[in-house]
Amino acid sequence: MKVIIPVVDADRSRNVLAASFHNAAFAAIYDTESKMMVWIETRSISEDVGNISLGLKRMGIAAVISQQMPPMALGLFVESGISVFKAESDDLQENILCFIDENLELFSSQMAFENSASCSSSCGSCSSTSCDI
């Protein structure tokens, strides 16, 4: 199974989670079968920036780990059959271990709406009235 995690960069901070995909130029992909990790530019996932879930499915990604998840994005991921897990911290390795040990909580709609209250993303893809956009 492949899981993708938005990270700060692919260099010095490659093991530090970004808040969400909207805040990340890079993502780490961990394959639980091969136990290999690769870093990619998030813009390479899909040409449709508003819906990367289809690109993730084409890449064989089955799960996402993120600190934040806008409600609309959560809906698109779930609709595409991609599980979304709430990160425990901003440490990539810690979250991978928690994922392997099945200790990460699935992102719920309630959690996504709670996170949207502090969203400062410029994505414009959600219709949250509490968004700072």
Side-chain angles (χ1 to χ4, degrees):
M1 173 190 290
K2 291 181 183 176
V3 59
I4 191 165
I5 307 105
V7 293
V8 172
D9 65 37
D11 193 29
R12 287 185 175 167
S13 297
R14 67 191 284 159
N15 291 313
V16 178
L17 269 66
S20 70
F21 281 103
H22 292 99
N23 308 97
F26 292 90
I29 299 175
Y30 179 75
D31 187 325
T32 59
E33 292 177 22
S34 69
K35 301 193 183 347
M36 299 292 293
M37 182 114 54
V38 295
W39 283 261
I40 64 167
E41 290 187 69
T42 53
R43 68 179 176 190
S44 71
I45 296 170
S46 175
E47 291 180 17
D48 183 0
V49 182
N51 184 1
I52 65 169
S53 61
L54 299 176
L56 294 178
K57 289 299 284 186
R58 281 192 293 271
M59 296 170 65
I61 304 294
V64 170
I65 299 172
S66 185
Q67 295 185 79
Q68 298 176 1
M69 184 60 56
M72 285 287 280
L74 178 61
L76 291 171
F77 286 131
V78 171
E79 187 176 288
S80 296
I82 298 171
S83 300
V84 182
F85 295 89
K86 175 85 169 116
E88 286 289 316
S89 70
D90 68 353
D91 182 86
L92 178 63
Q93 297 301 325
E94 178 183 342
N95 283 288
I96 293 294
L97 291 174
C98 287
F99 178 77
I100 291 167
D101 292 339
E102 299 181 9
N103 289 328
L104 290 180
E105 187 176 3
L106 277 170
F107 240 107
S108 67
S109 296
Q110 180 63 34
M111 291 165 73
F113 280 112
E114 288 170 3
N115 278 331
S116 70
S118 62
C119 178
S120 60
S121 173
S122 60
C123 68
S125 66
C126 71
S127 59
S128 172
T129 57
S130 59
C131 207
D132 292 336
I133 298 172

